[in-house]
């Protein structure tokens, strides 16, 4: 077959332009990315060799520098690629990661942060980082069982060329024609230091030949650059922090430090060794809405099996990454049926148990770091409340919220709330909305504040669903203050009940009038004990969704119904008293209707809601002001 020119897929071309034209401070990472690809290719070949002994080779990754030609090559004897795979994998398939990576880089730029090419591996497009260092890249590859080898060549500018290759050995060689200012990567010591920094844990030898001068005598040596030790089998005291961090970055798709490291060896019913991390940052894939099970790599007696084993951990534990090395599973375990293997379920149980205990330990003993972690990953724990009924009681204790009686930014747990409750308080109260500032002004909180009750502020959209799922905590109801009744301690409650009952009787006509006038908007009108200052507020009926919940439901489904709420009145408020008198004087007074409308509107405004007709509200307010000013002037 003659050589053939092909076009890069548009997104990939954009990515390549970005690689070629930007200057990155952390450009050494291309070495790491290519070494990781080489190790993956060997993982795949080794996995096949588990069931086919003829495929066993002396696994190796090798760097070769040619100082005259200014080329750096990396060779692996892994799986290799067929012609189709070569075309598909490199240049034409645009993984979702391509766009996501570029978006992340753009975002960093907009925010004035340094570009972070080290993220490239996270997005599954690591190969293209070769173009940071090279103005031409050539791939030669041969797949086991195929009679031909293939080459791929490109300068990264629009096209690549596919041709036959004379590569004899199975595996892949990637040759980089280095840019002038990348000549340092021809140097053994430079490559060696990058490998030790990022790729030391790779289990196959990464070798490079180099010349050693001894006096006048030059000899060529072949050295292994990485220690190849399975980091999870080493004593914690023998491993440097940087080594753990590099390994964490390899498994987690994160670029920083982990929030916590757990070295955990299980013995007994299931035996495995594991090195786990809680992520420091939300992986970008999650931000872009993708889900992966890829955090935890499964090994069987030091042999890599898969980095995607559904069922190894609950799905919502996407914040965990690391390695589990089992001694129970058979080496030739099939990846397809792995999920149904009872051994996996047992490992899952044991890991989950340990992860919960680490999370609660972190919350108790290392609160500051837990809160940093929580702010990043609370969404996943909340998802857990919804999905993992069996572990709900553990999950609920890991949740944190802001609250009315604590300063902004301070988070408390349900237990802390419940421990601080006055003995007479019956329920755990919450209110939900977008911003703390708006919630703090809510009229619904007035009496609770006066009684010294605390109220949780639910600021995340999912929170109300989560507390709804829980229903109760420590035998106490979780109750929204914008819904149904709020119950105070017996003495206070008795007094309030009597007062509201009396007010209701005395103002029956006004209440009826308001109900009729506002009937298209409110379900009911009644007096309440929950207000101390404001004239009125809106609350949902006990079994109806709150305003916030309704908003969320409408965001998901435009046709979700609007559920009418109850207008509650404050019997001690002068406006309500004045309206009562006006109504008694002349129930037909057209001004009264205007006031009724405004009363409703300002209840909506008070809770930060949207008015149906803001222009009308503004006009009414203006005309009221004009009347008030004129009255004041005429009194002179
Ligand atoms: P990733 O490795 O994250 O999937 P890359 O852009 O680095 O993304 O590589 C794309 C694909 O090219 C890989 O998934 C793999 O199938 C193939 N590939 C890259 N390097 C090699 C290699 N050394 N040997 C075999 N296949 C490779």
């Amino acid at each position: 077959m003659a050589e053939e020119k092909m076009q890069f897929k548009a997104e990939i071309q954009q990515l390549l332009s970005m690689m070629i034209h930007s200057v990155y401070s952390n450009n050494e990472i291309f070495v790491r990315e290519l070494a990781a690809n080489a190790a993956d290719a060997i993982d795949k070949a080794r996995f096949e060799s588990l069931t086919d002994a003829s495929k066993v080779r002396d696994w190796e990754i090798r760097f070769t520098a040619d100082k005259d030609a200014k080329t750096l090559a990396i060779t692996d004897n892994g799986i290799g690629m067929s012609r189709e795979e070569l075309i598909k994998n490199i240049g034409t398939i645009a993984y979702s990661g391509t766009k996501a990576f570029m978006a992340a880089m753009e975002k960093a730029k907009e925010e004035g942060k340094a570009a972070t090419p080290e993220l490239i591996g996270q997005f599954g497009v690591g190969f293209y980082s070769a173009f940071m260092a090279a103005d031409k890249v050539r791939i030669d590859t041969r797949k086991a069982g195929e009679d031909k080898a293939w080459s791929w060549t490109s300068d990264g500018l629009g096209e690549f060329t596919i041709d036959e290759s004379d590569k004899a050995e199975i595996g892949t060689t990637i040759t980089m024609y280095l840019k002038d200012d990348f000549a340092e990567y021809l140097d053994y010591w430079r490559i060696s230091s990058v490998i030790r920094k990022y790729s030391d844990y790779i289990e196959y030898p990464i070798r490079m030949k180099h010349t050693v001068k001894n006096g006048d005598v030059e000899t060529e040596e072949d050295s292994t650059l990485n220690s190849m030790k399975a980091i999870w089998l080493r004593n914690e005291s023998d491993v440097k922090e940087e080594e753990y961090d590099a390994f964490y970055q390899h498994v987690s798709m994160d670029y920083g430090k982990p929030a916590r490291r757990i070295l955990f060896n299980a013995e007994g019913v299931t035996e495995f060794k594991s090195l786990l991390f809680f992520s420091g940052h939300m992986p970008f894939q999650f931000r872009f809405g993708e889900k992966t099970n890829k955090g935890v790599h499964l090994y069987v007696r030091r042999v890599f099996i898969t980095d995607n084993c559904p069922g190894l951990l609950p799905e919502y534990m996407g914040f965990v990454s690391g390695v589990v090395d089992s001694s129970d599973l058979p080496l030739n375990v099939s990846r397809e049926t792995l999920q149904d293997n009872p051994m996996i379920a047992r490992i899952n149980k044991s890991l989950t148990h340990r992860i919960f205990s680490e999370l609660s330990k972190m919350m108790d003993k290392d609160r500051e770091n837990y809160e940093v972690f929580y702010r990043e990953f609370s969404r996943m724990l909340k998802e857990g409340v919804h999905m993992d009924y069996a572990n709900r009681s553990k999950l609920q204790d890991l949740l944190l919220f802001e609250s009315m009686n604590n300063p902004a930014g301070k988070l408390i747990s349900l237990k802390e709330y419940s421990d601080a409750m006055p003995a007479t308080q019956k329920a755990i109260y919450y209110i939900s909305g977008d911003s703390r500032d708006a919630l703090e002004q809510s009229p619904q909180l007035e009496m609770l504040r006066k009684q010294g009750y605390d109220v949780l502020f639910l600021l995340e959209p999912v929170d109300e669903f989560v507390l709804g799922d829980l229903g109760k905590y420590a035998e106490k109801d979780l109750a929204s203050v914008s819904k149904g009744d709020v119950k105070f301690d017996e003495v206070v409650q008795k007094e309030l009940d009597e007062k509201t009952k009396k007010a209701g009787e005395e103002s029956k006509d006004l209440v009826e009038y308001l109900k009729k006038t506002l009937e298209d908007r409110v379900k009911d009108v009644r007096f309440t004990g929950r207000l101390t200052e404001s004239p009125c507020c809106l609350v949902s009926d006990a079994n109806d969704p709150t305003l916030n919940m309704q908003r969320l439901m409408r965001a998901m489904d435009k046709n979700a119904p609007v559920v009418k709420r109850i207008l509650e009145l404050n019997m001690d408020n002068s406006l309500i008293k004045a309206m009562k008198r006006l109504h008694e004087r002349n129930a037909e007074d057209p001004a009264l209707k205007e006031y009724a409308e405004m009363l409703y509107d300002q209840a909506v405004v008070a809770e930060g809601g949207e008015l149906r007709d803001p222009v009308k509200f503004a006009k009414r307010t203006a005309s009221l002001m004009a009347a008030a000013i004129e009255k004041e002037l005429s009194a002179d």
Side-chain angles (χ1 to χ4, degrees), residues 446-497:
E446 291 171 1
M447 192 58 165
L448 289 140
R449 191 177 273 131
K450 196 170 159 194
Q451 295 297 319
Y453 288 10
D454 199 0
V455 177
L456 297 173
F457 284 163
L458 309 191
L459 300 169
E460 295 288 328
V462 295
D463 288 350
E464 204 171 338
F465 291 97
V466 172
L467 293 203
D469 274 339
L470 292 177
K472 276 178 185 290
Y473 178 82
E475 318 268 289
K476 295 173 193 101
D477 283 334
L478 292 160
S480 166
V481 303
S482 6
K483 198 166 133 161
D485 277 339
V486 173
K487 289 270 176 259
F488 299 99
D489 85 63
E490 269 161 50
V491 184
V492 176
Q493 191 61 43
K494 194 156 170 258
E495 199 183 313
L496 287 175
D497 285 348

Side-chain angles (χ1 to χ4, degrees), residues 7 37 42 45 107 144 156 171 181 195 201 235 254 278-279 292 350 366 372 425 432 472 515 584 587 603 624:
Q7 299 285 323
N37 280 355
I42 298 182
K107 190 159 165 271
D181 44 351
I195 291 297
Y201 58 84
N235 274 331
D254 183 20
F278 293 167
S279 290
T292 80
S350 167
D366 191 9
V372 173
Q425 188 180 335
S432 58
K472 276 178 185 290
K515 249 194 244 185
E584 279 163 3
L624 262 189

Side-chain angles (χ1 to χ4, degrees), residues 334-352:
S334 134
R335 269 185 275 202
E336 285 65 44
T337 60
L338 208 50
Q339 196 178 357
D340 309 320
N341 192 306
M343 216 75 89
I344 295 291
R346 257 181 257 154
I347 298 178
N348 174 314
K349 201 162 166 221
S350 167
L351 289 175
T352 304

Side-chain angles (χ1 to χ4, degrees), residues 443 445-448 450 529-535 570 572-573:
L445 300 176
E446 291 171 1
M447 192 58 165
L448 289 140
K450 196 170 159 194
R530 82 175 98 213
L531 298 170
T532 62
E533 307 274 323
S534 306
N570 176 359
D572 295 328
N573 184 274

